[in-house]
Amino acid sequence: NMFSGAGMWTSIVAVSWLVLERSSLSFWVGIITFGYMIPFLIISPIAGLLADRMDRKNLSLVTLVAGAITTAALATLAIIGVIELWHVAIITFVAGSFRATQEPAIQALIPNQVPREILLNAITLNASTRHGARFFGLLVAAPLMGIDYVGIKGVLVLSSLFYVAGTILMLKVRTSSIGDLKVNQRALSGILDGFAYIYTNKIIALFIILVAFHCALVMSFESILPVFTRETLHAKDGSYFGYMVMGFGAGALVSSFLMAGVKNEKAKGQLLFWTGLLSGITPIALSFSTNLSIAILASIAMGSSQAMFMALTNTYVQMLAPDQLRGRISSLYILHAGGIMAFANLGYGFMADQISAPPILLVTGLLFIVFLACLSASQPQLRKIYGTGQAIPV
């Protein structure tokens, strides 16, 4: 997952800067980001169904190979000098579709590999590889973006090699993991079972709502970061953008790794509230950043708080989900996160061309703080989780 995540993030950084250079519009970056993330809305339900019907390791392998091929296609078009914006839009949509299929398969595979009492640790370590991939991938890729004879082309080649490495490591997994979805059950019926479960289980529904607003308001920054680095930080190439993404990854990696050792249930509940609050405060801090050093510090804080919050909500959902539905529930969790981020990035990309990026970061951060306070005040079940760390199905 570390290597496939590195492949994803290095390619996102490379194509985002490519699109900004070609179009000079943040809106186009938003379109490309939308193309990559919209499959999490339209593909995720089917992906969850596949994760409950097929061997989850084999499904992950297929998507990893596909990720390597699609990124290699982008690199080839860039190297021979014929790449166009519509090429990028189509290929990133295809790559996003494979990624949307991979995520629920891997998430559903993890709980079958460890005892329940250390599930938080396993999920958090897995999250640390996913978020830490930003750091390790961009640690190599960001400096390359500033070298003329390497640049975007070289980073796309590197992205493809990351996917190849992830494929090789996935071959070493020996866990057999599959749901108990009936082979003759209709696809629509199977998908609806997942929807019915999450929306009739009030605690899971609360977590899904939290994740949806969290992703819409404070995690949808990919489309505005390139123009933020160019206009606010006065970047001349994509390296500043790469360093910012690396900062997010560094914060996420450290916080996720530290949280993997948390076993006290009460501490988990308290962390859920405080990391949610910090998720709203940190984008506000980034909006006031005027140089690269301060912006990287703010991005580290953002990555740290957001990764911990998402790991905690994912853990609670996984613990509450029955294994036979886990693939579909994981996919619906991803649907509410990635699908909403697709539309949010599209809108924020357009808005950044009109009013610049800092006001967007400021207002969305404030809105999430207000939403978290209102939801917490109105939902006693959520306050009980903050106090005890215990989530009981309702």
Side-chain angles (χ1 to χ4, degrees):
N1 212 27
M2 173 74 80
F3 279 109
S4 64
M8 177 187 75
W9 280 108
T10 51
S11 63
I12 286 175
V13 168
V15 298
S16 295
W17 194 259
L18 170 68
V19 168
L20 186 65
E21 281 188 332
R22 293 288 183 91
S23 69
S24 296
L25 292 173
S26 185
F27 179 57
W28 257 106
V29 181
I31 291 175
I32 298 302
T33 307
F34 176 83
Y36 187 87
M37 291 186 174
I38 194 60
F40 287 92
L41 178 65
I42 60 179
I43 301 293
S44 287
I46 300 171
L49 193 71
L50 292 174
D52 283 338
R53 179 171 283 178
M54 298 175 58
D55 184 279
R56 291 156 179 166
K57 173 202 167 179
N58 292 338
L59 184 59
S60 300
L61 274 172
V62 170
T63 57
L64 283 166
V65 171
I69 292 171
T70 52
T71 310
L74 272 175
T76 301
L77 291 172
I79 289 169
I80 63 178
V82 297
I83 194 166
E84 301 289 343
L85 294 181
W86 68 269
H87 294 152
V88 179
I90 292 174
I91 294 176
T92 51
F93 174 79
V94 173
S97 299
F98 288 120
R99 183 71 183 183
T101 306
Q102 177 188 323
E103 285 282 349
I106 290 182
Q107 287 197 25
L109 176 64
I110 296 294
N112 296 134
Q113 294 181 290
V114 298
R116 182 179 176 85
E117 61 268 19
I118 57 169
L119 181 59
L120 170 64
N121 311 75
I123 291 176
T124 306
L125 283 171
N126 182 58
S128 73
T129 66
R130 182 167 57 249
H131 296 298
R134 301 188 198 187
F135 174 73
F136 288 114
L138 274 303
L139 182 65
V140 180
L144 296 179
M145 293 280 286
I147 300 175
D148 290 338
Y149 59 85
V150 178
I152 293 169
K153 302 172 187 177
V155 171
L156 287 173
V157 172
L158 177 66
S159 301
S160 184
L161 294 176
F162 280 141
Y163 276 110
V164 171
T167 303
I168 293 170
L169 290 173
M170 183 59 76
L171 287 168
K172 298 181 179 293
V173 174
R174 295 289 179 263
T175 302
S176 177
S177 175
I178 191 169
D180 68 352
L181 185 70
K182 297 178 179 63
V183 175
N184 60 352
Q185 185 176 6
R186 292 182 179 180
L188 180 59
S189 174
I191 293 170
L192 291 177
D193 284 347
F195 274 106
Y197 190 88
I198 65 170
Y199 288 125
T200 56
N201 186 304
K202 186 172 183 179
I203 298 298
I204 289 184
L206 275 175
F207 283 120
I208 294 295
I209 291 169
L210 266 175
V211 166
F213 278 85
H214 184 263
C215 290
L217 294 173
V218 296
M219 287 192 69
S220 300
F221 50 77
E222 286 85 357
S223 64
I224 63 175
L225 271 189
V227 74
F228 177 82
T229 60
R230 188 181 68 177
E231 295 183 359
T232 304
L233 304 182
H234 311 294
K236 301 299 183 184
D237 55 52
S239 61
Y240 276 29
F241 178 34
Y243 291 131
M244 290 281 292
V245 176
M246 188 174 74
F248 286 107
L253 176 63
V254 172
S255 64
S256 298
F257 187 76
L258 291 175
M259 202 176 72
V262 176
K263 295 183 178 180
N264 183 278
E265 294 296 324
K266 185 176 181 179
K268 296 174 191 175
Q270 292 172 342
L271 281 170
L272 180 67
F273 173 76
W274 288 110
T275 56
L277 182 62
L278 286 171
S279 289
I281 293 172
T282 49
I284 297 172
L286 180 61
S287 72
F288 288 104
S289 302
T290 55
N291 61 64
L292 182 62
S293 298
I294 296 174
I296 289 176
L297 288 175
S299 68
I300 291 171
M302 282 180 68
S304 177
S305 58
Q306 292 174 5
M308 292 179 75
F309 183 84
M310 293 298 286
L312 283 162
T313 56
N314 188 25
T315 298
Y316 280 116
V317 170
Q318 292 285 352
M319 290 177 68
L320 292 166
D323 191 58
Q324 67 269 23
L325 289 170
R326 185 169 280 126
R328 279 162 285 175
I329 291 173
S330 295
S331 72
L332 295 175
Y333 175 94
I334 294 166
L335 179 152
H336 287 81
I340 286 171
M341 288 173 69
F343 286 98
N345 270 290
L346 184 64
Y348 296 156
F350 173 76
M351 291 168 62
D353 288 328
Q354 314 305 315
I355 61 173
S356 78
I360 298 172
L361 292 165
L362 173 63
V363 172
T364 54
L366 287 171
L367 285 175
F368 184 71
I369 292 172
V370 172
F371 167 77
L372 181 66
C374 292
L375 188 68
S376 301
S378 64
Q379 298 297 325
Q381 297 95 337
L382 198 53
R383 295 197 302 274
K384 184 176 181 181
I385 294 171
Y386 295 154
T388 66
Q390 298 291 330
I392 302 173
V394 176

